[in-house]
């Protein structure tokens, strides 16, 4: 069902946890639909300096959030917010068709975290 | 790594003795049972024997058994067959529950679209229906009540005999979907008071792709597959002779082993349920604590999602199942779990473990060893787990 890379991220997710003093937090999904992705960021020099995540959901939900955190760590915010869900799935070597829409929302959570950061620090 | 199969409600392995009985019908006794020659007669004899074997277990006449290509087809034939045949003489009102297998539930949905009136009986928190509710729902236009004997997801058993008695008293046909219970519980049609009963061989160590429908003498079903006189004209198509022979062998073997196996499974089942509930906080049993299939365990594990539990168990060599949306192939979790009143999150966290005749105490030990750390890891990952607040790190 899932390829090796997805399973590897599911088994050993990167950057799991909470950033207590995060500069921005973004959350998408709901317990009702079975997927919640929550991303915490700290910004340094306009780049993603630290990133952590928590995910409630299926294997794809865990793997995509893990993959995304790896992709954007150290990236300038303007670049990080352009990463889309499709790129995350591609970086994982693909996901089952049915998972592309329901469990592939990590990039949306990151965008919310970035806008949360901006509203706090520039708003 | 151990290999532990705990998904017997999905399907069971073929018993080697059943395979042995089937083999000649693939290679030497390969005749078409409708043929006049010796090859045909040999195949016919195989089918005749299987029909007697099924009838012996159900306590009915051989001619009341119709072989089908599985449980789903048997359910379709029962529901459409009766509803359509009696639409004029009885009426277009049919009764079921919201917890049926899709093989029954989707037939009711289709019939509703074609103008039938469907009553969906209420169930309690365990998924049981009140037989008196059946009585209250029956009208002068009711033709059929269709209910599963044992629920395939939560294992809850229905008071089938009592429901059947009420249906018979009021002159309504009663179809019992016994796909999960046949081979595991007594299924004597006279005790269950049913007019139709579906079963599938692969649920009791027989082959896939073959099932049967019991149709009580005098009850008429409208055929759903046309093009031949097989099965008294009720199910056209060249018979799956090896499969039918396998069904007969499997049901005979299952009946012989049934009581002893059920006792063993109940003891393993109850130990597994009690241990999971005791060792993993925030878990609940789904389905009735006692009135349930001997081999069915279904628990909800809060704050985690079912598919991720299954993947993690699979990596440890354990095969299980869940009613989460991801595993139901839709965006909603199982209709059965929602039907007994669970909220979506609790339904997404369901884990079904169904035991079999080869399940050992050691398998249970192994599951109980690997499951708690898996849940701990997934909860640590989960943003909705309340335990984060209490952690010191």
């Amino acid at each position: 069902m899932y390829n090796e890379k997805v399973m590897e991220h599911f088994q050993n997710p990167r950057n799991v946890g909470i950033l207590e003093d995060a500069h921005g937090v973004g959350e998408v999904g709901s317990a009702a639909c079975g997927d919640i992705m929550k991303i915490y960021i700290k910004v340094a020099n306009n780049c993603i300096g630290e990133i952590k995540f928590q995910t409630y959901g299926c294997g794809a939900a865990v793997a995509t959030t893990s993959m995304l955190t790896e992709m954007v760590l150290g990236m300038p915010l303007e670049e990080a917010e352009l990463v889309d869900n499709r790129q995350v799935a591609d970086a994982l070597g693909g996901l089952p068709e049915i998972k592309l829409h329901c469990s592939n929302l990590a990039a949306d959570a990151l965008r919310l975290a970035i806008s949360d950061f901006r509203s706090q620090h520039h708003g | 790594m151990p290999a532990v199969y705990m998904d017997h409600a999905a399907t069971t392995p073929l018993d080697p003795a059943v395979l042995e009985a089937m083999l000649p019908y693939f290679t030497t006794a390969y005749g078409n049972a409708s043929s006049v020659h010796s090859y045909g007669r040999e195949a016919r004899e195989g089918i005749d024997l299987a029909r007697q074997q099924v009838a012996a277990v159900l306590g009915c006449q051989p001619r009341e058994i119709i072989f089908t290509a599985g449980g789903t087809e048997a359910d379709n034939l029962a529901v459409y067959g009766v509803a359509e045949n009696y639409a004029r003489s009885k009426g277009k009102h049919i009764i079921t529950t919201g917890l049926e297998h899709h093989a029954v539930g989707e037939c009711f949905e289709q019939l509703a679209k074609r103008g039938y009136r469907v009553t969906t009986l209420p169930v309690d928190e365990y998924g049981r229906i009140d037989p008196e509710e059946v009585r209250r729902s029956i009208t002068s236009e009711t033709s059929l009540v269709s209910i599963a004997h044992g629920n395939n997801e939560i294992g809850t058993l229905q008071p089938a005999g009592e429901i059947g008695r009420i249906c018979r008293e009021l002159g309504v046909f009663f179809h019992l979907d016994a796909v999960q219970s046949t081979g595991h519980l007594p299924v004597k049609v006279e005790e269950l008071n049913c007019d139709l009963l579906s079963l599938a061989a692969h649920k009791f160590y027989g082959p896939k792709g073959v099932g049967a429908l019991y149709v009580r003498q005098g009850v008429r079903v409208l055929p759903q597959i046309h093009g031949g006189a097989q099965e008294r004209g009720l199910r056209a198509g060249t018979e799956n002779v090896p499969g039918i022979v396998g069904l007969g062998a499997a049901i005979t073997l299952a009946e012989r082993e049934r009581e002893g196996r059920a006792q063993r499974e109940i003891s393993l089942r109850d130990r597994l349920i009690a241990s999971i509930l005791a060792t993993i906080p925030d878990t609940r049993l789904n389905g009735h604590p006692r009135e349930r299939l001997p081999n069915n365990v279904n628990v909800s594990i809060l704050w985690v999602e079912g598919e991720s539990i299954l993947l993690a168990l699979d990596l440890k060599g354990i095969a299980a199942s869940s009613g989460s949306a991801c595993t139901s192939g839709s965006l909603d979790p199982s209709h059965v779990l929602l039907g007994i009143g669970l909220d979506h999150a609790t339904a997404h966290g369901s884990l079904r473990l169904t035991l079999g005749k080869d399940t050992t105490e050691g398998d249970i030990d192994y599951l109980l060893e690997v499951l708690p750390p898996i849940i701990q890891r997934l909860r640590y990952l989960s943003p909705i787990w309340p335990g984060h607040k209490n952690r010191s790190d």
Side-chain angles (χ1 to χ4, degrees), chain B residues 41 259 266 300 353:
Chain B
R41 289 198 302 276
E259 274 187 60
I266 287 171
S300 274
L353 302 160

Side-chain angles (χ1 to χ4, degrees), chain A residues 1-2 7 10-11 13 16-18 31-34 36 38 53-60 62 98-99 102, chain B residues 303-305 307-309 311-312 315 325-326 329-331 333 344-345 348-349 377-378 380-384 388:
Chain A
M1 166 178 189
Y2 293 125
M7 286 307 292
F10 172 72
Q11 275 182 275
V16 174
I18 303 171
C33 62
I36 301 175
K38 194 167 183 180
F53 84 92
Q54 293 177 305
T55 290
Y56 161 82
C58 64
V62 173
I98 192 165
K99 300 289 183 182
C102 63
Chain B
W303 327 120
V304 294
E305 189 277 335
E307 190 207 271
S308 59
I309 307 174
L311 289 173
L315 289 164
C326 286
S330 72
L331 289 176
H344 277 62
H348 285 304
R377 183 174 87 80
L378 292 172
Y380 181 63
L381 258 173
S382 169
I384 58 173
H388 291 294

Side-chain angles (χ1 to χ4, degrees), chain B residues 51 65-78 103 179 198-203 206-213 224-225 230-231 234-244 247:
Chain B
R51 205 183 303 280
I65 299 299
I66 302 167
F67 289 118
T68 66
T72 298
E73 192 197 317
D75 283 339
N76 273 252
L77 178 57
V179 167
S198 316
L199 58 91
H202 76 107
K203 304 294 191 188
K208 293 165 184 66
V210 61
L213 180 68
Q224 303 296 311
I225 294 176
Q230 291 89 351
E231 299 301 291
L234 296 172
R235 201 286 180 184
T238 300
E239 297 89 342
N240 169 11
V241 183
I244 290 169
L247 168 55

Side-chain angles (χ1 to χ4, degrees), chain B residues 84-315:
Chain B
E84 290 175 350
N85 200 59
Y86 292 96
R88 275 210 186 146
S89 59
K90 281 182 176 280
K92 295 174 102 174
H93 177 226
I94 49 182
I95 299 173
T96 189
T97 79
L99 307 188
E100 299 309 302
H101 189 279
H102 292 306
V104 166
E106 288 185 14
C107 294
F108 272 78
E109 284 169 28
Q110 289 300 320
L111 287 167
K113 284 183 195 157
R114 297 184 202 168
Y116 285 75
R117 193 165 72 79
V118 172
T119 296
T120 305
L121 297 168
V123 295
D124 68 14
E125 61 185 305
Y126 303 121
R128 299 254 293 177
I129 57 172
D130 174 1
E132 286 308 312
E133 200 64 47
V134 177
R135 183 191 297 281
R136 281 191 286 275
S137 304
I138 289 173
T139 72
S140 59
E141 298 195 327
T142 310
S143 63
L144 178 72
V145 173
S146 177
I147 286 166
H149 192 196
N151 185 275
N152 60 309
E153 293 187 36
I154 57 174
T156 295
L157 302 176
Q158 298 294 352
E162 180 62 12
I163 296 165
R165 195 182 58 72
I166 291 168
C167 290
R168 195 154 293 178
E169 185 188 320
L170 299 178
V172 171
F173 296 125
F174 177 39
H175 167 236
L176 191 65
D177 172 1
V179 167
Q180 287 293 335
S181 54
T182 305
H184 302 271
L185 292 170
V187 284
K188 291 274 183 265
V189 293
E190 283 315 311
E191 286 163 22
L192 297 165
N193 297 321
C194 60
D195 300 294
L196 306 106
L197 180 147
S198 316
L199 58 91
H202 76 107
K203 304 294 191 188
F204 46 85
Y205 309 94
K208 293 165 184 66
V210 61
L213 180 68
Y214 156 78
V215 183
R216 188 165 62 81
Q217 193 167 5
V219 178
R220 287 208 159 77
V221 292
L222 204 67
Q224 303 296 311
I225 294 176
H226 306 277
Q230 291 89 351
E231 299 301 291
R232 295 188 291 118
L234 296 172
R235 201 286 180 184
T238 300
E239 297 89 342
N240 169 11
V241 183
I244 290 169
V245 167
L247 168 55
I251 202 168
T252 305
L253 193 64
E255 182 62 15
R256 199 182 303 148
E257 296 176 347
R258 183 174 53 76
E259 274 187 60
R261 174 159 45 83
Q263 270 181 12
R264 260 193 77 246
E265 287 173 350
I266 287 171
S267 124
L268 293 172
R269 174 196 78 185
D270 290 347
R271 182 182 154 221
L272 187 50
I273 292 171
S275 303
I276 290 175
L277 298 184
T279 56
I280 305 177
D282 298 331
T283 45
R284 55 157 281 153
L285 175 68
N286 296 320
H288 199 282
R290 290 174 310 280
E291 295 296 322
R292 68 188 300 133
L293 290 165
N295 67 342
N296 175 291
V297 174
N298 189 314
V299 290
S300 274
I301 303 175
L302 295 190
W303 327 120
V304 294
E305 189 277 335
E307 190 207 271
S308 59
I309 307 174
L310 300 188
L311 289 173
L313 284 173
D314 187 42
L315 289 164

